[in-house]
Amino acid sequence: MHLSLTALVAVLPAVALAQGASGTGKTTRYWDCCKPSCAWPKKGNSPNPVKTCDKNDNPLNDGGNTKSGCDNGGGAYMCSNQSPWAVNDTLSYGWAAVNIAGSNEAAWCCACYELTFTSGPVQGKKMIVQASNTGGDLGSNQFDLAIPGGGVGQFNACTQQYGAPANGWGDRYGGVHSKSDCDSFPAALKAGCNWRFDWFQGADNPTVSFRQVACPAAITAKSGCVRQNDVINETPTN
Ligand SMILES: *[C@@H]1O[C@H](CO)[C@@H](O)[C@H](O)[C@H]1NC(C)=O
């Protein structure tokens, strides 16, 4: 079939809507060791919630029903393999706590966003993050990147899980200051801590432009969470 240019142009706005959220936003960083919110059942439209781990970083097969290590007596923690990693010099993969303006947790849980950094030393580099979490303290279009040693922030299960200092490693907000601070980290979190000073070049909350993309299989293989009809059937947010 041959589509005329007029017909093609008429189709474009619908395609743009179907691709999900996009815009500009900001980043912060955290690693609180808590069970992320998209690890509870039925938060998004994925049949499976984000995987969590027990105190010893072994995967839980609990259907998402174990209380968070941040709650009294809870036994579910963030798995260390939900740490960021470099795919190559200009692309990394990872996870984030997300807040998208005009949207809601049901729409963003386990959705993926391609971030293009627009400030700081990583300007021009890209990172694809899967939304594994949200946060009552997040502003609109904020991506709180999950980076070990990035600061525990509002909640802290790292003391319970890894024996971290009472306010987490380094500053409660922002975390450790240099790569050498990662040397004494638990083995499972070291690579993610180092990533911040290697690929991420110690960037301090760079701004981003973002667009929703279908999740790379390398990400969902680790999180276990895959949205049904990823991206194409997202409800437009306006
Ligand atoms: C990095 O990997 C992505 C995804 O495979 C690819 O599209 C891109 O060209 C790569 N960039 C470099 C510099 O190798």
Side-chain angles (χ1 to χ4, degrees):
M1 191 188 85
H2 183 83
L3 264 186
S4 73
L5 185 61
T6 321
L8 191 63
V9 168
V11 161
L12 282 176
V15 171
L17 273 181
Q19 292 301 316
S22 64
T24 58
K26 65 174 202 167
T27 66
T28 44
R29 59 181 181 268
Y30 85 108
W31 187 275
D32 59 10
C33 298
C34 303
K35 173 180 184 168
S37 67
C38 301
W40 288 99
K42 308 247 180 323
K43 278 297 184 91
N45 71 7
S46 166
N48 299 305
V50 168
K51 284 183 185 166
T52 58
C53 285
D54 67 16
K55 198 172 168 174
N56 297 315
D57 203 32
N58 298 311
L60 288 169
N61 289 304
D62 63 339
N65 290 305
T66 305
K67 268 182 24 177
S68 173
C70 281
D71 295 336
N72 224 354
Y77 298 85
M78 190 168 287
C79 298
S80 67
N81 73 350
Q82 288 163 32
S83 293
W85 78 96
V87 175
N88 58 38
D89 279 354
T90 52
L91 178 69
S92 275
Y93 286 166
W95 286 266
V98 167
N99 186 312
I100 304 286
S103 188
N104 55 53
E105 192 179 15
W108 68 61
C109 260
C110 296
C112 285
Y113 301 90
E114 180 193 70
L115 312 179
T116 303
F117 295 108
T118 53
S119 70
V122 284
Q123 186 162 4
K125 288 190 178 193
K126 290 181 193 293
M127 180 173 190
I128 297 180
V129 293
Q130 183 176 42
S132 56
N133 205 353
T134 189
D137 55 346
L138 298 183
S140 55
N141 292 349
Q142 183 170 348
F143 297 86
D144 199 9
L145 307 176
I147 309 173
V152 293
Q154 203 172 7
F155 304 105
N156 173 24
C158 294
T159 300
Q160 209 173 317
Q161 190 181 18
Y162 293 109
N167 283 316
W169 299 283
D171 299 330
R172 183 140 196 146
Y173 290 87
V176 301
H177 301 115
S178 67
K179 190 172 171 183
S180 59
D181 294 335
C182 303
D183 292 349
S184 57
F185 262 51
L189 297 181
K190 230 177 238 186
C193 185
N194 285 333
W195 173 90
R196 187 175 139 213
F197 301 98
D198 295 333
W199 189 92
F200 200 52
Q201 297 171 253
D204 188 21
N205 300 344
T207 53
V208 292
S209 60
F210 70 92
R211 66 185 181 103
Q212 193 177 345
V213 296
C215 285
I219 289 180
T220 56
K222 293 186 179 197
S223 70
C225 193
V226 186
R227 287 186 73 88
Q228 293 177 313
N229 304 315
D230 194 19
V231 179
I232 50 167
N233 282 352
E234 294 299 328
T235 310
T237 54
N238 48 353

